Amino acid sequence: EAIVQFELAYTVLKTTEIEKDEHMSLLNSMGQCCQYLYDFKNSEKYFKEGIDYGAKNGMSKTLDQAILYSCLALLYKDMLLENRSLDTYATADQLFKIQTDTMNVDHANFLLDYAGVLVDVSQFDKALSCLFRTRNIHSKLFGENSPEYAVVLNNIGNAYSKMNKISETEQYYKQSIELKKRIPGVKILSYLNTQNNLMVFYNSVGR
């Protein structure tokens, strides 16, 4: 039903003048909706259309453009196009860096996704830089007793586990576990996921 509504809005978009950021936001939403439906071809089309629209309408250095590149990069990751994903994430990173306000949820989500890709290709220094930047944003936006902060601690632990850094892996996984224990409303699966990550790491290093 969502995609039908978006397509109706898209038809209206072709004939009605709306704010530029709303135009880009709608194309981004359509791209994400298609991605959730595994319609990767149309998802890529909408993301690229939004990026092209931004470039043609003086929006090429805006937060909206950074978000579109971020979403396109995640799509390429889902499509298993590793190099294209990395290149697109790098473009998004440069766009996020030039924004006046970088302490926002969109930037944090981007950094988490980008770090995951960097860990997969063993670019650990860049990945940790992204993760610690995310931790700073989450600390400011949500505080250090929040589910969001616990998630980034888990991801930092994961990055260190791939580097076989035993003390750092334990430190961040355990911090995440303890935080998830005492935060009301944290889903049990999130807690168990970090517990499992630590057990798998211990098994991999013979502990």
Side-chain angles (χ1 to χ4, degrees):
E1 290 184 10
I3 193 63
V4 172
Q5 295 301 317
F6 280 130
E7 286 173 349
L8 288 173
Y10 182 67
T11 301
V12 174
L13 190 67
K14 295 294 187 179
T15 58
T16 306
E17 190 70 25
I18 65 171
E19 294 294 329
K20 294 175 183 178
D21 58 341
E22 292 178 358
H23 189 122
M24 295 171 73
S25 179
L26 175 59
L27 290 168
N28 182 45
S29 296
M30 292 179 70
Q32 290 188 55
C33 191
C34 289
Q35 185 176 356
Y36 295 146
L37 296 172
Y38 299 98
D39 183 359
F40 294 153
K41 182 178 179 180
N42 278 319
S43 180
E44 182 182 26
K45 182 188 79 172
Y46 289 127
F47 288 143
K48 284 188 171 182
E49 185 176 338
I51 289 168
D52 290 343
Y53 176 87
K56 292 174 182 176
N57 289 275
M59 303 281 285
S60 60
K61 295 183 179 180
T62 61
L63 178 61
D64 295 289
Q65 192 80 328
I67 293 169
L68 277 162
Y69 270 105
S70 174
C71 291
L72 181 59
L74 182 59
L75 172 67
Y76 287 145
K77 178 185 177 183
D78 287 349
M79 295 170 70
L80 304 180
L81 299 174
E82 183 179 277
N83 290 334
R84 195 177 297 182
S85 178
L86 283 167
D87 290 343
T88 309
Y89 270 122
T91 300
D93 192 31
Q94 292 305 310
L95 287 170
F96 274 112
K97 284 178 178 177
I98 63 174
Q99 303 307 309
T100 303
D101 175 21
T102 58
M103 301 296 285
N104 56 69
V105 173
D106 290 315
H107 191 201
N109 290 340
F110 158 73
L111 289 170
L112 275 180
D113 290 337
Y114 189 21
V117 174
L118 292 169
V119 167
D120 289 342
V121 296
S122 301
Q123 295 187 30
F124 298 118
D125 288 342
K126 284 186 178 181
L128 287 170
S129 174
C130 288
L131 289 168
F132 285 122
R133 285 156 64 192
T134 309
R135 186 183 64 173
N136 292 340
I137 296 172
H138 281 182
S139 176
K140 181 175 181 179
L141 295 181
F142 307 111
E144 296 184 7
N145 289 298
S146 63
E148 292 82 3
Y149 196 79
V151 166
V152 75
L153 293 177
N154 172 79
N155 290 17
I156 293 171
N158 177 65
Y160 279 123
S161 74
K162 302 297 184 184
M163 302 167 69
N164 288 318
K165 299 278 190 178
I166 296 176
S167 61
E168 291 90 345
T169 300
E170 284 186 314
Q171 174 188 344
Y172 286 100
Y173 275 152
K174 286 182 176 180
Q175 284 181 10
S176 180
I177 289 167
E178 289 305 312
L179 192 52
K180 289 178 179 181
K181 273 185 183 178
R182 66 174 189 264
I183 298 174
V186 170
K187 293 181 179 179
I188 186 64
L189 287 178
S190 177
Y191 170 76
L192 293 176
N193 177 62
T194 305
Q195 283 275 28
N196 182 67
N197 288 343
L198 183 57
M199 288 189 291
V200 169
F201 176 70
Y202 281 152
N203 184 62
S204 71
V205 294
R207 293 185 60 178

